[in-house]
């Protein structure tokens, strides 16, 4: 199968490319950086620039599936400029892909799209367990972004393509991501919960996310799926488990909410939001998680 990947140079995309090529898939990828066009072995790079509405249409040649992961990082200070970039990169990028496919006038073999979304579409709650049936409301910046992103992705379905949207939880990877900044203080025995630490974190090991994405691609999944492990944990349990996996002591008091807000600004909601997200729909699809449990997941990445 030939797969076109956007966001291929990112945390998730780079692991996806390794595993997809190992499974024998052929890969095309789109990048906004010209110096990355030749950067990935066994894959062919193509240039696009959603801001300037530019895309190399050759990227679609012979492609069966599009896996669309691109989007500016949300882990950057939420200034007005960065917020615009976070939203525009997702909506304009998706719109550009939809219009580029439309311009091919049916002269392509693309059948399926697997598109990234995020559990940020669910509001913070200490009681709800979120399933894909939840009706989103644009009550915060993150909710607004993900709603607009998913709406743009519906453009793929309007073209008659099969569309699977994956609402991704906190992705655990060996480098960077959510574990990256937590590992250093934890190594020095300074790991601590944020606020009261009761907020629920719905996480997923990158290998599971990649396997779910490839299953969705090859088995032609349609609709919305939460891409989270079946065992969400409290933030306190998360930091404690990381310390245990790293064999470091865990004794520090929780970090006060006001202090974190001062340092991170509005973006601090990323660590204070509580989202207990259900993995039932993915499990019902027959997917068996390689890392359903946090301690084993973290140990595999250290
Ligand atoms: N990591 C998580 O915990 C998490 C959680 C929920 C959802 N997600 C979503 O899953 C997707 C992949 O996540 P990730 O962690 O792999 O992201 P990432 O490491 O930040 O990589 C995203 C990729 O998007 C491309 N990109 C960046 N800015 C862009 C722009 N302005 N226009 C077009 N493309 C741009 C970049 O590729 P080039 O530089 O090559 O163009 C980059 O490699 C993202 O959409 C993210 O929002 C991630």
């Amino acid at each position: 199968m030939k797969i076109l990947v956007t966001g291929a140079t990112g945390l998730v995309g780079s692991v996806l490319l390794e595993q997809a090529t190992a499974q024998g898939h052929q890969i095309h990828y789109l990048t906004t950086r010209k110096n990355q066009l030749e950067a990935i072995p066994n894959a062919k790079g193509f240039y696009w620039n959603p801001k300037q509405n530019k895309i190399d249409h050759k990227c679609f040649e012979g492609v069966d599936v599009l896996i669309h992961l691109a989007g500016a990082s949300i882990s950057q200070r939420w200034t007005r400029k960065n917020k615009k970039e976070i939203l525009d990169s997702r909506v304009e990028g998706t719109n550009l892909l939809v219009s580029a496919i439309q311009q091919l006038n049916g002269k392509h073999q693309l059948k399926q799209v697997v598109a990234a979304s995020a559990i940020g579409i669910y509001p913070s709650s200490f009681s709800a367990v979120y399933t894909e049936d939840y009706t989103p409301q644009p009550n915060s910046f993150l909710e607004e972004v993900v709603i607009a992103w998913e709406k743009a992705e519906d453009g793929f379905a309007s073209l008659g393509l099969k569309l699977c949207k994956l609402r991704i939880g906190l992705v655990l990877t060996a480098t960077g991501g959510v574990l990256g900044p937590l590992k250093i203080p934890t190594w020095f025995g300074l790991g601590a919960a944020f606020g009261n630490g009761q907020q629920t974190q719905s996480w997923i090991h990158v290998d599971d996310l990649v396997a779910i994405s490839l299953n969705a691609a090859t088995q032609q999944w349609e609709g919305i799926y939460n891409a989270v492990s079946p065992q969400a944990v409290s933030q306190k349990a998360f930091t404690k488990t990381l310390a245990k996996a790293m064999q470091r002591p865990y004794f520090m008091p929780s970090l006060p909410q006001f202090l974190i807000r001062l340092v991170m600004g509005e973006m601090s909601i990323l660590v204070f939001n509580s989202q207990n997200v259900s993995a039932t729909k993915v499990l019902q699809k027959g997917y068996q998680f390689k890392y359903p449990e946090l301690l084993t997941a973290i140990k595999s990445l250290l």
Side-chain angles (χ1 to χ4, degrees), residues 7 9-12 31-33 69-72 85 89-90 149 168-169 171:
T9 60
L11 270 184
V12 178
T31 175
T32 57
R33 289 175 289 164
L69 301 171
E85 171 87 5
S89 60
R90 290 175 169 76
W149 191 15
I168 302 169
V171 183

Side-chain angles (χ1 to χ4, degrees), residues 6-14 29-33 36 48-51 68-74 85 88-90 93 116-120 149 166-173 177-178 209:
T6 74
T9 60
L11 270 184
V12 178
S14 48
Y29 66 95
L30 279 164
T31 175
T32 57
R33 289 175 289 164
Q36 292 297 304
W48 74 326
N49 187 327
K51 265 187 220 155
H68 177 35
L69 301 171
S73 171
I74 61 160
E85 171 87 5
D88 289 354
S89 60
R90 290 175 169 76
S117 174
I119 62 166
W149 191 15
L166 295 178
R167 289 186 179 156
I168 302 169
L170 287 173
V171 183
L172 307 188
T173 49
V178 64
L209 175 57

Side-chain angles (χ1 to χ4, degrees), residues 225-241:
Y225 289 85
N226 291 330
V228 293
S229 89
Q231 292 179 31
V233 295
S234 71
Q235 210 272 330
K236 191 169 192 169
F238 190 96
T239 43
K240 235 179 174 169
T241 306

Side-chain angles (χ1 to χ4, degrees), residues 37-294:
L37 285 170
E38 312 274 335
I40 306 179
N42 306 317
K44 198 167 173 190
F46 296 86
Y47 178 71
W48 74 326
N49 187 327
K51 265 187 220 155
Q52 296 171 4
N53 219 28
K54 279 188 187 160
I55 184 164
D56 183 345
H57 286 78
K58 290 195 203 80
C59 67
F60 294 105
E61 276 176 16
V63 166
D64 308 288
V65 177
L66 165 65
I67 300 185
H68 177 35
L69 301 171
S73 171
I74 61 160
S75 301
Q76 51 177 329
R77 211 167 169 86
W78 287 3
T79 58
R80 244 168 92 169
K81 180 170 164 276
N82 289 348
K83 277 174 149 182
K84 184 169 160 33
E85 171 87 5
I86 289 167
L87 176 68
D88 289 354
S89 60
R90 290 175 169 76
V91 175
E92 289 174 358
T94 305
N95 288 341
L96 177 57
L97 289 165
V98 171
S99 69
I101 296 166
Q102 197 165 23
Q103 282 166 27
L104 296 174
N105 276 324
K107 290 184 189 132
H108 63 79
Q109 62 185 62
L110 189 62
K111 299 272 180 311
Q112 171 80 40
V113 179
V114 179
S117 174
I119 62 166
I121 202 161
Y122 302 121
S124 183
S125 167
F126 286 85
S127 54
V129 178
Y130 289 112
T131 63
E132 294 82 349
D133 300 332
Y134 170 80
T135 308
Q137 311 281 334
N139 290 326
S140 68
F141 168 64
L142 264 193
E143 286 159 78
E144 275 169 30
V145 168
V146 188
I147 289 170
W149 191 15
E150 286 200 359
K151 192 165 169 237
E153 290 173 347
D154 287 337
F156 295 118
S158 311
L159 298 179
L161 302 171
K162 291 194 167 141
L163 172 65
C164 168
K165 295 187 246 186
L166 295 178
R167 289 186 179 156
I168 302 169
L170 287 173
V171 183
L172 307 188
T173 49
T175 50
V178 64
L179 287 181
L182 292 178
K183 275 196 285 196
I184 298 166
T186 306
W187 197 86
F188 287 105
L190 300 174
F194 298 139
N196 66 14
Q198 295 309 305
Q199 58 278 37
T200 303
Q201 302 212 303
S202 292
W203 57 274
I204 183 164
H205 189 294
V206 68
D207 286 356
D208 279 316
L209 175 57
V210 163
I212 288 171
S213 307
L214 291 173
N215 279 9
T218 52
Q219 298 166 9
Q220 305 203 321
W221 294 10
E222 279 187 278
I224 299 170
Y225 289 85
N226 291 330
V228 293
S229 89
Q231 292 179 31
V233 295
S234 71
Q235 210 272 330
K236 191 169 192 169
F238 190 96
T239 43
K240 235 179 174 169
T241 306
L242 175 60
K244 189 172 175 191
M246 294 177 76
Q247 297 179 307
R248 309 307 296 171
Y250 186 89
F251 60 88
M252 292 292 286
S254 300
L255 299 169
Q257 193 157 346
F258 78 90
L259 195 69
I260 293 170
R261 239 186 224 132
L262 210 65
V263 178
M264 293 178 75
E266 189 188 351
M267 192 179 112
S268 63
I269 67 161
L270 289 178
V271 294
F272 292 120
N273 268 3
S274 179
Q275 281 138 339
N276 190 354
V277 178
S278 163
T280 303
K281 198 171 167 191
V282 162
L283 289 166
Q284 282 170 347
K285 214 61 189 159
Y287 182 71
Q288 289 189 341
F289 281 82
K290 194 170 170 199
Y291 299 102
E293 190 263 321
L294 185 61

